[in-house]
Amino acid sequence: MNELKRVNEDDKHSYPLFLFGDLNFRLDLQSFLNRITDDTDLREDSTESTQSSICSTDGCGDLLTASSQHTNELKPLTDFRRTVSAIEFRRSPDNFTSDISTSCVLRIEKKLFDYFNHKRLLNEWQGYLEDDREAHNFPYLRELNINFPPTYPWSENPDESESLMKTRAPAWCDRVLMNARALEIVKRDKFAKYDSFGKDVCMGDHKVNDIFSVFFSFSFLKL
């Protein structure tokens, strides 16, 4: 970030800088969940695990070893710990709507993000685009407007290449960011387009994005 700041502040020696790839940007989860689980109740599935530890009988909690000079009798203390294995957002029967045929709106587990209507997440992505905020943490970087659906996580099944996987919340992980000088160059070309590709083919769980531009492709080396 210090180098990026120096490049932007040095007007005499400024040069275009691009940062692109899988930047692993994620949505603001609290805002996103509030948006898609309106009028639901949160429920938790949990398990109880036990952990044995050795403590002295006087209750002081000192651990005794074979070389200890203490003569306290040792006894195992069983500690029950509650672990949340899954959470569900459920809608009561009184709040059922025509588009939700089940009480479970969303279930989240490790490597599971099972929304009742994944097609809605894909088709109505503009409704939660404002929850994509991580790029704002880098004030010296710019980006063209996002006009494409989330780039992750897409199905890796060739027969379901146009569907999202139910493994993670959708996100715009793959980005092309740039400094102000680079943005000026890109905006000179009226045909420049910021988009993802491979929307209709299976190419892994990411749909890579790029800036499509005749100027960008053929004239950049002349600058």
Side-chain angles (χ1 to χ4, degrees):
M1 290 301 296
N2 290 334
E3 175 64 13
L4 182 59
K5 181 179 179 181
R6 184 190 67 78
V7 169
N8 278 276
E9 293 179 346
D10 189 353
D11 295 332
K12 294 182 179 180
H13 302 92
S14 64
Y15 53 85
L17 185 149
F18 292 87
L19 179 65
F20 57 91
D22 177 9
L23 304 184
N24 204 30
F25 284 173
R26 303 290 175 160
L27 300 179
D28 182 317
L29 189 58
Q30 181 175 352
S31 176
F32 176 59
L33 291 182
N34 287 340
R35 189 184 305 277
I36 67 173
T37 60
D38 190 31
D39 295 327
T40 62
D41 297 320
L42 176 63
R43 301 184 183 183
E44 298 178 349
D45 286 346
S46 60
T47 58
E48 286 187 346
S49 60
T50 60
Q51 180 177 356
S52 296
S53 58
I54 303 298
C55 295
S56 58
T57 56
D58 62 5
C60 67
D62 293 331
L63 295 180
L64 303 181
T65 65
S67 60
S68 173
Q69 296 180 355
H70 294 284
T71 58
N72 303 61
E73 179 184 359
L74 300 182
K75 69 176 183 179
L77 178 64
T78 302
D79 180 23
F80 288 92
R81 296 189 177 184
R82 182 170 174 270
T83 302
V84 175
S85 58
I87 59 174
E88 284 189 351
F89 295 86
R90 289 185 168 271
R91 185 162 291 175
S92 67
D94 295 337
N95 290 329
F96 275 8
T97 60
S98 59
D99 61 339
I100 302 180
S101 58
T102 176
S103 62
C104 183
V105 174
L106 173 65
R107 181 177 177 87
I108 301 176
E109 300 178 18
K110 183 178 181 180
K111 295 186 178 181
L112 177 69
F113 189 88
D114 190 3
Y115 190 57
F116 81 100
N117 189 344
H118 255 59
K119 288 186 177 180
R120 171 180 289 184
L121 292 180
L122 182 57
N123 296 332
E124 301 180 9
W125 56 265
Q126 295 94 336
Y128 55 87
L129 177 59
E130 64 183 73
D131 296 326
D132 175 72
R133 301 168 183 166
E134 284 203 51
H136 300 164
N137 295 328
F138 306 95
Y140 298 107
L141 291 175
R142 307 289 186 269
E143 185 177 22
L144 297 181
N145 291 332
I146 293 178
N147 293 303
F148 48 87
T151 63
Y152 175 85
W154 289 83
S155 174
E156 297 177 299
N157 184 342
D159 296 328
E160 300 177 351
S161 59
E162 299 180 25
S163 302
L164 293 173
M165 283 197 296
K166 298 182 179 182
T167 54
R168 295 285 191 275
W172 286 267
C173 294
D174 308 270
R175 311 289 275 267
V176 179
L177 306 181
M178 63 203 81
N179 65 355
R181 172 61 175 151
L183 182 62
E184 292 177 3
I185 296 173
V186 173
K187 284 189 172 182
R188 291 177 192 172
D189 183 12
K190 62 181 180 180
F191 297 107
K193 182 180 180 181
Y194 187 35
D195 201 355
S196 60
F197 58 88
K199 297 186 182 73
D200 56 350
V201 296
C202 181
M203 51 182 298
D205 55 351
H206 289 260
K207 300 291 187 183
V208 183
N209 60 348
D210 201 350
I211 298 178
F212 297 99
S213 169
V214 175
F215 173 85
F216 195 72
S217 300
F218 297 101
S219 302
F220 184 75
L221 294 178
K222 299 179 182 179
L223 299 175

